[in-house]
Amino acid sequence: MDELKKILQLKKERKAIILAHNYQRSDVQDVADFVGDSFGLSQTAVSSVAETIVFCGVDFMAESAAILNPEKTVLMPELSAQCPMAAMITPASLRLEKKKYPDAAVVCYVNTPASVKAQSDICCTSANAIKVVNVQEEDEILFVPDRNLALYVAKHTDKKIIPWNGYCPTHHLILPGDILLEKEEHPEAEILVHPECRPDVVSLADQVLSTSGMLKYAKQSTSKEFIIGTELGLLHRLNQENPGKLFFPATKYAVCPNMKMNTLASILRALENNEHIIKIPENIRIRAKSALDRMLEVF
Ligand code: 13P
Ligand code: SF4
């Protein structure tokens, strides 16, 4: 029996669901039951009745699923698929920063370890960051860890945003010159970029959107051509869902090596061996869950 058939059979036997982020390899996206952005993946992890979730993404995503679903088995096929941005903040460093700004609400991007979520008031994703910030009672917001998302949000709120100095190494490979070059070659194309991009790239965009936001936008837009400023994995669904439209990556270098670690072979191994189980210590999980729940309740 081939890999794909074995995965489908085991998935049934184990009452499992496969969730995949929009940046996963194409064959991993194709075998998944749900493919989406960080927000959609969190929502699906909660609403699913599956007993086992095979999470094809990076560490913080599988952790979020485990935080929200303590009764389900959450499996991460490749443990080394870690997001470098999430590693740019620790609970100890956040504790110190919070002392400097005792009146600020702490809004943390989902790209954080569970231990950092546990110290935050509310989580956000790229799909809802502006809304989350604007509903906080506090006038000051300590926004961690993505400084680019923080600066983008700062442009859309009256609140004082205090950014952390983290960033996504993959989105930092997209340069303003890349966008300008593509625009020169495709003058009719709309420029869609992710808010993790550098501010000088964001300022060139027609639309600044989460990955699923880009998918939704491209579908309903009357434009036929788009320049895409995010990780290349998104091109798979953009092309699949929009025959007749053309998508040009801003640069061929925007590949997240961590997102590409999961393969059909590792998904099969995960299902066969029930590995690697992601469990969050209960004292951290309860506090991290309240930050995620607040986000899910509001949006
Ligand atoms: P979204 O898919 O939520 O826009 O996030 C992008 C990302 O970098 C995930 O690591
Ligand atoms: Fe982390 Fe960037 Fe990769 Fe997303 S694309 S997982 S933020 S390194």
Side-chain angles (χ1 to χ4, degrees), residues 168-181:
C168 163
T170 297
H171 283 85
H172 264 226
L173 293 172
I174 302 171
L175 303 176
D178 297 323
I179 304 273
L180 295 173
L181 206 69

